[in-house]
Amino acid sequence: MISRANITDWPGRPGSHCLDTRPGGPPTPAAEQRAREDVRARLRRRFPGIPSETLTTATAEAFACFADARVRHCVPVLAFKRAAEQLSRRLPTRGEADGEP
């Protein structure tokens, strides 16, 4: 079992180790932009054969689905999941890629 002391033993006060995830308020526009870039990079690693423009579009569409979300801290995770599912549906199956029906 992990004690609470192990979780909060960061330099400074709890949450100061990562400014983007501090629960003190909504993420800044810069943090939101970094989250979009991170999601795009993760998608690029997961789907290396898909063009960059397609990944950018999928990322933008996924984030747009959560534009009105009141809780912003979980949006990047949800956007990544949504974009990855969308891109997975676009990929041909193994048989289709080999020319089989």
Side-chain angles (χ1 to χ4, degrees):
M1 181 170 171
I2 299 174
S3 72
R4 182 159 172 77
N6 290 341
I7 296 171
T8 59
D9 278 343
W10 296 94
R13 57 190 173 89
S16 65
H17 62 282
C18 183
L19 299 177
D20 295 348
T21 59
R22 266 193 317 220
T28 63
E32 294 250 351
Q33 184 59 35
R34 282 191 302 274
R36 287 175 188 269
E37 291 168 4
D38 178 59
V39 167
R40 195 175 314 117
R42 290 173 57 203
L43 289 171
R44 190 175 311 118
R45 286 190 302 270
R46 185 163 181 182
F47 302 99
I50 295 182
S52 181
E53 299 81 25
T54 304
L55 297 177
T56 300
T57 301
T59 302
E61 289 173 357
F63 272 88
C65 290
F66 301 103
D68 295 332
R70 291 176 55 195
V71 178
R72 304 297 307 164
H73 295 289
C74 59
V75 168
V77 173
L78 298 172
F80 174 79
K81 182 174 174 64
R82 185 179 189 93
E85 287 173 356
Q86 178 188 12
L87 292 168
S88 292
R89 286 193 299 267
R90 290 184 188 178
L91 292 176
T93 62
R94 175 174 255 170
E96 291 172 348
D98 295 336
E100 299 174 12

